[in-house]
Amino acid sequence: ARQVVSETHPEYLSSYDAVMNAHSFYFGNMLISRKETFDLYSKWLFDIMFKLEKRLDLNKKGNTYQSRVIGFISERLLQVWVNYNDLKVKEYPVFNTEDRRITFFEKNLNRAKKIKGLWKKNEN
């Protein structure tokens, strides 16, 4: 991916390196923006991804999870693009509506209990 970025958009390399060496990033390929911003991002991203796809063997047998490499890389490239373009970011919590192991109410109840426990520890 770095090689493709260096060939197609070398001005993004310092942002690319910073994101790849960071310990956090925005996951999920989620972006809410004006259409013009989204179009610029999409053009940039797909220019890279189509070139990268030609260089990867996505038909390897074995771990199908790893065949999602294009999606994994594009998640990190979103952060590269946001950083390079110095966009103002607003973060919102994200939760999986399909996760049925614990309900939204139960999750927040557990959080409240943890906070209550922290208060008790701080009182002592």
mmCIF file of all heavy atoms in Angstrom, residues 47-81:
data_model
loop_
_atom_site.group_PDB
_atom_site.id
_atom_site.type_symbol
_atom_site.label_atom_id
_atom_site.label_comp_id
_atom_site.label_asym_id
_atom_site.label_seq_id
_atom_site.Cartn_x
_atom_site.Cartn_y
_atom_site.Cartn_z
ATOM 1 N N ASP A 47 -8.427 5.301 -6.572
ATOM 2 C CA ASP A 47 -7.229 5.353 -7.401
ATOM 3 C C ASP A 47 -6.157 4.446 -6.798
ATOM 4 O O ASP A 47 -5.517 3.658 -7.504
ATOM 5 C CB ASP A 47 -6.731 6.800 -7.503
ATOM 6 C CG ASP A 47 -5.515 6.946 -8.390
ATOM 7 O OD1 ASP A 47 -5.471 6.285 -9.456
ATOM 8 O OD2 ASP A 47 -4.611 7.726 -8.032
ATOM 9 N N ILE A 48 -5.999 4.523 -5.495
ATOM 10 C CA ILE A 48 -5.020 3.689 -4.797
ATOM 11 C C ILE A 48 -5.473 2.234 -4.743
ATOM 12 O O ILE A 48 -4.712 1.316 -5.046
ATOM 13 C CB ILE A 48 -4.779 4.233 -3.374
ATOM 14 C CG1 ILE A 48 -4.125 5.610 -3.458
ATOM 15 C CG2 ILE A 48 -3.944 3.260 -2.545
ATOM 16 C CD1 ILE A 48 -4.120 6.366 -2.146
ATOM 17 N N MET A 49 -6.719 2.006 -4.360
ATOM 18 C CA MET A 49 -7.182 0.639 -4.127
ATOM 19 C C MET A 49 -7.208 -0.205 -5.400
ATOM 20 O O MET A 49 -6.868 -1.385 -5.365
ATOM 21 C CB MET A 49 -8.560 0.650 -3.460
ATOM 22 C CG MET A 49 -8.595 1.326 -2.095
ATOM 23 S SD MET A 49 -7.273 0.899 -0.933
ATOM 24 C CE MET A 49 -7.560 -0.804 -0.640
ATOM 25 N N PHE A 50 -7.604 0.372 -6.529
ATOM 26 C CA PHE A 50 -7.625 -0.402 -7.782
ATOM 27 C C PHE A 50 -6.215 -0.811 -8.194
ATOM 28 O O PHE A 50 -5.997 -1.925 -8.671
ATOM 29 C CB PHE A 50 -8.318 0.365 -8.899
ATOM 30 C CG PHE A 50 -9.815 0.454 -8.734
ATOM 31 C CD1 PHE A 50 -10.478 1.645 -8.974
ATOM 32 C CD2 PHE A 50 -10.570 -0.643 -8.340
ATOM 33 C CE1 PHE A 50 -11.851 1.736 -8.827
ATOM 34 C CE2 PHE A 50 -11.941 -0.561 -8.186
ATOM 35 C CZ PHE A 50 -12.582 0.631 -8.425
ATOM 36 N N LYS A 51 -5.249 0.070 -7.973
ATOM 37 C CA LYS A 51 -3.858 -0.271 -8.290
ATOM 38 C C LYS A 51 -3.322 -1.319 -7.321
ATOM 39 O O LYS A 51 -2.613 -2.245 -7.721
ATOM 40 C CB LYS A 51 -2.996 0.980 -8.286
ATOM 41 C CG LYS A 51 -3.278 1.885 -9.462
ATOM 42 C CD LYS A 51 -2.466 3.163 -9.411
ATOM 43 C CE LYS A 51 -2.665 3.966 -10.678
ATOM 44 N NZ LYS A 51 -3.710 4.950 -10.602
ATOM 45 N N LEU A 52 -3.665 -1.175 -6.061
ATOM 46 C CA LEU A 52 -3.218 -2.131 -5.055
ATOM 47 C C LEU A 52 -3.827 -3.508 -5.295
ATOM 48 O O LEU A 52 -3.140 -4.529 -5.180
ATOM 49 C CB LEU A 52 -3.590 -1.626 -3.661
ATOM 50 C CG LEU A 52 -3.193 -2.512 -2.489
ATOM 51 C CD1 LEU A 52 -1.684 -2.713 -2.443
ATOM 52 C CD2 LEU A 52 -3.698 -1.910 -1.189
ATOM 53 N N GLU A 53 -5.086 -3.545 -5.648
ATOM 54 C CA GLU A 53 -5.779 -4.819 -5.888
ATOM 55 C C GLU A 53 -5.072 -5.644 -6.960
ATOM 56 O O GLU A 53 -4.979 -6.866 -6.855
ATOM 57 C CB GLU A 53 -7.223 -4.542 -6.301
ATOM 58 C CG GLU A 53 -8.049 -5.797 -6.507
ATOM 59 C CD GLU A 53 -9.460 -5.480 -6.932
ATOM 60 O OE1 GLU A 53 -9.665 -4.486 -7.673
ATOM 61 O OE2 GLU A 53 -10.361 -6.230 -6.531
ATOM 62 N N LYS A 54 -4.535 -4.991 -7.975
ATOM 63 C CA LYS A 54 -3.828 -5.694 -9.052
ATOM 64 C C LYS A 54 -2.539 -6.346 -8.561
ATOM 65 O O LYS A 54 -2.049 -7.286 -9.172
ATOM 66 C CB LYS A 54 -3.508 -4.733 -10.189
ATOM 67 C CG LYS A 54 -4.726 -4.257 -10.931
ATOM 68 C CD LYS A 54 -4.357 -3.243 -11.994
ATOM 69 C CE LYS A 54 -5.609 -2.698 -12.663
ATOM 70 N NZ LYS A 54 -5.297 -1.622 -13.621
ATOM 71 N N ARG A 55 -1.997 -5.846 -7.458
ATOM 72 C CA ARG A 55 -0.720 -6.355 -6.939
ATOM 73 C C ARG A 55 -0.888 -7.438 -5.880
ATOM 74 O O ARG A 55 0.089 -8.053 -5.473
ATOM 75 C CB ARG A 55 0.091 -5.207 -6.351
ATOM 76 C CG ARG A 55 0.431 -4.159 -7.374
ATOM 77 C CD ARG A 55 1.235 -3.057 -6.761
ATOM 78 N NE ARG A 55 1.388 -1.969 -7.710
ATOM 79 C CZ ARG A 55 2.273 -1.015 -7.599
ATOM 80 N NH1 ARG A 55 3.106 -1.007 -6.573
ATOM 81 N NH2 ARG A 55 2.344 -0.054 -8.493
ATOM 82 N N LEU A 56 -2.100 -7.637 -5.411
ATOM 83 C CA LEU A 56 -2.346 -8.613 -4.348
ATOM 84 C C LEU A 56 -2.977 -9.876 -4.895
ATOM 85 O O LEU A 56 -3.782 -9.817 -5.814
ATOM 86 C CB LEU A 56 -3.281 -8.012 -3.289
ATOM 87 C CG LEU A 56 -2.782 -6.777 -2.553
ATOM 88 C CD1 LEU A 56 -3.879 -6.242 -1.638
ATOM 89 C CD2 LEU A 56 -1.531 -7.092 -1.755
ATOM 90 N N ASP A 57 -2.621 -11.001 -4.310
ATOM 91 C CA ASP A 57 -3.266 -12.264 -4.651
ATOM 92 C C ASP A 57 -4.388 -12.494 -3.651
ATOM 93 O O ASP A 57 -4.163 -12.974 -2.544
ATOM 94 C CB ASP A 57 -2.255 -13.413 -4.615
ATOM 95 C CG ASP A 57 -2.879 -14.746 -4.972
ATOM 96 O OD1 ASP A 57 -4.072 -14.782 -5.345
ATOM 97 O OD2 ASP A 57 -2.165 -15.763 -4.880
ATOM 98 N N LEU A 58 -5.594 -12.112 -4.040
ATOM 99 C CA LEU A 58 -6.739 -12.228 -3.139
ATOM 100 C C LEU A 58 -7.423 -13.585 -3.237
ATOM 101 O O LEU A 58 -8.420 -13.830 -2.567
ATOM 102 C CB LEU A 58 -7.745 -11.112 -3.430
ATOM 103 C CG LEU A 58 -7.194 -9.694 -3.275
ATOM 104 C CD1 LEU A 58 -8.231 -8.660 -3.695
ATOM 105 C CD2 LEU A 58 -6.741 -9.446 -1.849
ATOM 106 N N ASN A 59 -6.902 -14.474 -4.066
ATOM 107 C CA ASN A 59 -7.516 -15.787 -4.263
ATOM 108 C C ASN A 59 -6.808 -16.898 -3.502
ATOM 109 O O ASN A 59 -7.067 -18.066 -3.743
ATOM 110 C CB ASN A 59 -7.546 -16.131 -5.760
ATOM 111 C CG ASN A 59 -8.408 -15.158 -6.527
ATOM 112 O OD1 ASN A 59 -9.496 -14.805 -6.087
ATOM 113 N ND2 ASN A 59 -7.910 -14.696 -7.658
ATOM 114 N N LYS A 60 -5.909 -16.547 -2.594
ATOM 115 C CA LYS A 60 -5.204 -17.564 -1.813
ATOM 116 C C LYS A 60 -6.197 -18.355 -0.981
ATOM 117 O O LYS A 60 -7.111 -17.809 -0.400
ATOM 118 C CB LYS A 60 -4.181 -16.916 -0.884
ATOM 119 C CG LYS A 60 -2.968 -16.388 -1.575
ATOM 120 C CD LYS A 60 -1.998 -15.836 -0.561
ATOM 121 C CE LYS A 60 -0.783 -15.273 -1.265
ATOM 122 N NZ LYS A 60 0.142 -14.658 -0.310
ATOM 123 N N LYS A 61 -5.990 -19.646 -0.934
ATOM 124 C CA LYS A 61 -6.842 -20.494 -0.102
ATOM 125 C C LYS A 61 -6.347 -20.423 1.335
ATOM 126 O O LYS A 61 -5.194 -20.185 1.589
ATOM 127 C CB LYS A 61 -6.802 -21.937 -0.596
ATOM 128 C CG LYS A 61 -7.383 -22.088 -1.977
ATOM 129 C CD LYS A 61 -7.608 -23.528 -2.300
ATOM 130 C CE LYS A 61 -7.966 -23.615 -3.757
ATOM 131 N NZ LYS A 61 -9.239 -23.956 -4.063
ATOM 132 N N GLY A 62 -7.259 -20.595 2.248
ATOM 133 C CA GLY A 62 -6.862 -20.575 3.653
ATOM 134 C C GLY A 62 -7.716 -19.624 4.445
ATOM 135 O O GLY A 62 -8.932 -19.761 4.494
ATOM 136 N N ASN A 63 -7.094 -18.645 5.019
ATOM 137 C CA ASN A 63 -7.757 -17.731 5.929
ATOM 138 C C ASN A 63 -8.604 -16.715 5.157
ATOM 139 O O ASN A 63 -8.083 -15.753 4.609
ATOM 140 C CB ASN A 63 -6.708 -17.028 6.787
ATOM 141 C CG ASN A 63 -7.322 -16.245 7.914
ATOM 142 O OD1 ASN A 63 -8.500 -15.881 7.869
ATOM 143 N ND2 ASN A 63 -6.534 -15.979 8.924
ATOM 144 N N THR A 64 -9.910 -16.919 5.125
ATOM 145 C CA THR A 64 -10.798 -16.011 4.389
ATOM 146 C C THR A 64 -10.876 -14.648 5.049
ATOM 147 O O THR A 64 -11.133 -13.654 4.380
ATOM 148 C CB THR A 64 -12.217 -16.598 4.258
ATOM 149 O OG1 THR A 64 -12.720 -16.896 5.561
ATOM 150 C CG2 THR A 64 -12.203 -17.851 3.413
ATOM 151 N N TYR A 65 -10.638 -14.599 6.351
ATOM 152 C CA TYR A 65 -10.657 -13.311 7.054
ATOM 153 C C TYR A 65 -9.598 -12.386 6.464
ATOM 154 O O TYR A 65 -9.844 -11.206 6.256
ATOM 155 C CB TYR A 65 -10.414 -13.531 8.543
ATOM 156 C CG TYR A 65 -10.479 -12.262 9.364
ATOM 157 C CD1 TYR A 65 -11.707 -11.673 9.649
ATOM 158 C CD2 TYR A 65 -9.326 -11.670 9.852
ATOM 159 C CE1 TYR A 65 -11.789 -10.518 10.399
ATOM 160 C CE2 TYR A 65 -9.399 -10.511 10.614
ATOM 161 C CZ TYR A 65 -10.629 -9.945 10.878
ATOM 162 O OH TYR A 65 -10.697 -8.797 11.619
ATOM 163 N N GLN A 66 -8.440 -12.913 6.158
ATOM 164 C CA GLN A 66 -7.355 -12.099 5.612
ATOM 165 C C GLN A 66 -7.634 -11.659 4.177
ATOM 166 O O GLN A 66 -7.007 -10.722 3.685
ATOM 167 C CB GLN A 66 -6.026 -12.845 5.684
ATOM 168 C CG GLN A 66 -5.561 -13.091 7.107
ATOM 169 C CD GLN A 66 -5.434 -11.813 7.921
ATOM 170 O OE1 GLN A 66 -5.017 -10.779 7.422
ATOM 171 N NE2 GLN A 66 -5.817 -11.882 9.189
ATOM 172 N N SER A 67 -8.584 -12.288 3.506
ATOM 173 C CA SER A 67 -8.933 -11.856 2.149
ATOM 174 C C SER A 67 -9.640 -10.496 2.172
ATOM 175 O O SER A 67 -9.844 -9.889 1.129
ATOM 176 C CB SER A 67 -9.807 -12.906 1.452
ATOM 177 O OG SER A 67 -11.062 -13.000 2.090
ATOM 178 N N ARG A 68 -9.950 -10.015 3.360
ATOM 179 C CA ARG A 68 -10.581 -8.702 3.519
ATOM 180 C C ARG A 68 -9.531 -7.593 3.597
ATOM 181 O O ARG A 68 -9.815 -6.485 4.023
ATOM 182 C CB ARG A 68 -11.448 -8.700 4.776
ATOM 183 C CG ARG A 68 -12.574 -9.731 4.709
ATOM 184 C CD ARG A 68 -13.377 -9.789 5.982
ATOM 185 N NE ARG A 68 -13.885 -8.478 6.329
ATOM 186 C CZ ARG A 68 -14.051 -8.051 7.592
ATOM 187 N NH1 ARG A 68 -13.749 -8.830 8.596
ATOM 188 N NH2 ARG A 68 -14.516 -6.852 7.832
ATOM 189 N N VAL A 69 -8.320 -7.894 3.163
ATOM 190 C CA VAL A 69 -7.202 -6.960 3.285
ATOM 191 C C VAL A 69 -7.509 -5.602 2.653
ATOM 192 O O VAL A 69 -7.110 -4.564 3.187
ATOM 193 C CB VAL A 69 -5.908 -7.575 2.701
ATOM 194 C CG1 VAL A 69 -6.018 -7.785 1.193
ATOM 195 C CG2 VAL A 69 -4.709 -6.717 3.034
ATOM 196 N N ILE A 70 -8.225 -5.568 1.556
ATOM 197 C CA ILE A 70 -8.559 -4.293 0.904
ATOM 198 C C ILE A 70 -9.360 -3.412 1.867
ATOM 199 O O ILE A 70 -9.112 -2.210 1.979
ATOM 200 C CB ILE A 70 -9.343 -4.536 -0.413
ATOM 201 C CG1 ILE A 70 -8.449 -5.219 -1.452
ATOM 202 C CG2 ILE A 70 -9.928 -3.256 -0.958
ATOM 203 C CD1 ILE A 70 -7.347 -4.354 -2.004
ATOM 204 N N GLY A 71 -10.312 -3.993 2.553
ATOM 205 C CA GLY A 71 -11.102 -3.232 3.518
ATOM 206 C C GLY A 71 -10.267 -2.752 4.690
ATOM 207 O O GLY A 71 -10.411 -1.612 5.145
ATOM 208 N N PHE A 72 -9.361 -3.601 5.177
ATOM 209 C CA PHE A 72 -8.504 -3.224 6.292
ATOM 210 C C PHE A 72 -7.603 -2.052 5.909
ATOM 211 O O PHE A 72 -7.434 -1.101 6.668
ATOM 212 C CB PHE A 72 -7.645 -4.402 6.753
ATOM 213 C CG PHE A 72 -8.428 -5.563 7.283
ATOM 214 C CD1 PHE A 72 -8.006 -6.857 7.033
ATOM 215 C CD2 PHE A 72 -9.578 -5.386 8.036
ATOM 216 C CE1 PHE A 72 -8.705 -7.944 7.535
ATOM 217 C CE2 PHE A 72 -10.287 -6.463 8.533
ATOM 218 C CZ PHE A 72 -9.853 -7.749 8.279
ATOM 219 N N ILE A 73 -7.024 -2.130 4.731
ATOM 220 C CA ILE A 73 -6.132 -1.060 4.275
ATOM 221 C C ILE A 73 -6.921 0.223 4.047
ATOM 222 O O ILE A 73 -6.471 1.311 4.417
ATOM 223 C CB ILE A 73 -5.377 -1.492 2.999
ATOM 224 C CG1 ILE A 73 -4.406 -2.626 3.336
ATOM 225 C CG2 ILE A 73 -4.636 -0.307 2.380
ATOM 226 C CD1 ILE A 73 -3.783 -3.293 2.136
ATOM 227 N N SER A 74 -8.110 0.105 3.466
ATOM 228 C CA SER A 74 -8.893 1.317 3.201
ATOM 229 C C SER A 74 -9.297 2.017 4.494
ATOM 230 O O SER A 74 -9.412 3.242 4.532
ATOM 231 C CB SER A 74 -10.111 0.998 2.331
ATOM 232 O OG SER A 74 -11.042 0.206 3.030
ATOM 233 N N GLU A 75 -9.494 1.248 5.588
ATOM 234 C CA GLU A 75 -9.792 1.879 6.875
ATOM 235 C C GLU A 75 -8.651 2.795 7.298
ATOM 236 O O GLU A 75 -8.870 3.914 7.753
ATOM 237 C CB GLU A 75 -10.006 0.821 7.959
ATOM 238 C CG GLU A 75 -11.331 0.126 7.880
ATOM 239 C CD GLU A 75 -11.497 -0.919 8.973
ATOM 240 O OE1 GLU A 75 -10.498 -1.536 9.402
ATOM 241 O OE2 GLU A 75 -12.643 -1.109 9.398
ATOM 242 N N ARG A 76 -7.447 2.313 7.130
ATOM 243 C CA ARG A 76 -6.295 3.125 7.522
ATOM 244 C C ARG A 76 -6.070 4.287 6.558
ATOM 245 O O ARG A 76 -5.638 5.366 6.970
ATOM 246 C CB ARG A 76 -5.058 2.251 7.631
ATOM 247 C CG ARG A 76 -5.094 1.442 8.920
ATOM 248 C CD ARG A 76 -4.463 0.083 8.774
ATOM 249 N NE ARG A 76 -4.522 -0.669 10.012
ATOM 250 C CZ ARG A 76 -5.518 -1.469 10.361
ATOM 251 N NH1 ARG A 76 -6.575 -1.584 9.603
ATOM 252 N NH2 ARG A 76 -5.483 -2.146 11.475
ATOM 253 N N LEU A 77 -6.385 4.069 5.295
ATOM 254 C CA LEU A 77 -6.212 5.150 4.327
ATOM 255 C C LEU A 77 -7.193 6.295 4.571
ATOM 256 O O LEU A 77 -6.888 7.447 4.247
ATOM 257 C CB LEU A 77 -6.338 4.621 2.899
ATOM 258 C CG LEU A 77 -5.156 3.771 2.430
ATOM 259 C CD1 LEU A 77 -5.410 3.248 1.011
ATOM 260 C CD2 LEU A 77 -3.847 4.528 2.498
ATOM 261 N N LEU A 78 -8.350 6.005 5.134
ATOM 262 C CA LEU A 78 -9.274 7.084 5.497
ATOM 263 C C LEU A 78 -8.584 8.040 6.459
ATOM 264 O O LEU A 78 -8.634 9.259 6.301
ATOM 265 C CB LEU A 78 -10.557 6.533 6.113
ATOM 266 C CG LEU A 78 -11.516 7.571 6.709
ATOM 267 C CD1 LEU A 78 -11.962 8.588 5.663
ATOM 268 C CD2 LEU A 78 -12.712 6.881 7.342
ATOM 269 N N GLN A 79 -7.914 7.488 7.454
ATOM 270 C CA GLN A 79 -7.198 8.317 8.428
ATOM 271 C C GLN A 79 -6.074 9.103 7.756
ATOM 272 O O GLN A 79 -5.843 10.262 8.069
ATOM 273 C CB GLN A 79 -6.631 7.441 9.540
ATOM 274 C CG GLN A 79 -6.005 8.236 10.660
ATOM 275 C CD GLN A 79 -7.028 8.964 11.489
ATOM 276 O OE1 GLN A 79 -8.073 8.411 11.786
ATOM 277 N NE2 GLN A 79 -6.743 10.194 11.844
ATOM 278 N N VAL A 80 -5.387 8.482 6.811
ATOM 279 C CA VAL A 80 -4.323 9.176 6.071
ATOM 280 C C VAL A 80 -4.907 10.391 5.359
ATOM 281 O O VAL A 80 -4.372 11.500 5.438
ATOM 282 C CB VAL A 80 -3.647 8.223 5.054
ATOM 283 C CG1 VAL A 80 -2.703 8.984 4.128
ATOM 284 C CG2 VAL A 80 -2.926 7.085 5.767
ATOM 285 N N TRP A 81 -6.018 10.185 4.683
ATOM 286 C CA TRP A 81 -6.642 11.266 3.912
ATOM 287 C C TRP A 81 -7.144 12.382 4.826
ATOM 288 O O TRP A 81 -6.948 13.564 4.548
ATOM 289 C CB TRP A 81 -7.774 10.697 3.055
ATOM 290 C CG TRP A 81 -8.266 11.646 2.037
ATOM 291 C CD1 TRP A 81 -7.698 11.912 0.826
ATOM 292 C CD2 TRP A 81 -9.430 12.470 2.124
ATOM 293 N NE1 TRP A 81 -8.444 12.853 0.156
ATOM 294 C CE2 TRP A 81 -9.512 13.210 0.938
ATOM 295 C CE3 TRP A 81 -10.402 12.647 3.093
ATOM 296 C CZ2 TRP A 81 -10.533 14.118 0.691
ATOM 297 C CZ3 TRP A 81 -11.426 13.550 2.854
ATOM 298 C CH2 TRP A 81 -11.473 14.271 1.666
#
